[in-house]
Amino acid sequence: QYSCAHPHYDPATKELISYATTFARSSTYTIYTIKEGSSERVPLCKIPVSYPSYMHSFAVTPHYIVLVETPFIVNPVDLVLK
């Protein structure tokens, strides 16, 4: 599992916004927030993906979180078998 290098801070909600990638047979990107003064991750959504991509960071707009998958992908099964 890994998280992005640069979480974003939303001054309107006073939350950090980030994502984490879980490697498994059915991998996921989990978008989450952390409220100011807390260390608890609150999941916003999970996005299933067959071959997770390396993503250094992401973008945030007032209404969207934008993940950009690059061609640098990982086959999660290969992580276990090799």
Side-chain angles (χ1 to χ4, degrees), residues 48-63:
V49 59
S50 297
Y51 298 100
S53 173
Y54 170 76
M55 292 182 278
H56 183 75
S57 191
F58 62 105
V60 176
T61 74
H63 299 285

Side-chain angles (χ1 to χ4, degrees), residues 2-4 7-8 15-22 28-34 40-48 55 57-61 63-69:
Y2 75 91
S3 190
C4 79
H8 293 274
E15 297 174 316
L16 282 177
I17 302 168
S18 193
Y19 73 90
T21 302
T22 303
T28 58
Y29 302 132
T30 302
I31 310 295
Y32 63 88
T33 62
I34 300 175
E40 180 183 354
R41 291 181 180 179
V42 178
L44 294 177
C45 71
K46 291 189 178 195
I47 304 165
M55 292 182 278
S57 191
F58 62 105
V60 176
T61 74
H63 299 285
Y64 297 98
I65 295 169
V66 182
L67 301 178
V68 178
E69 290 185 305

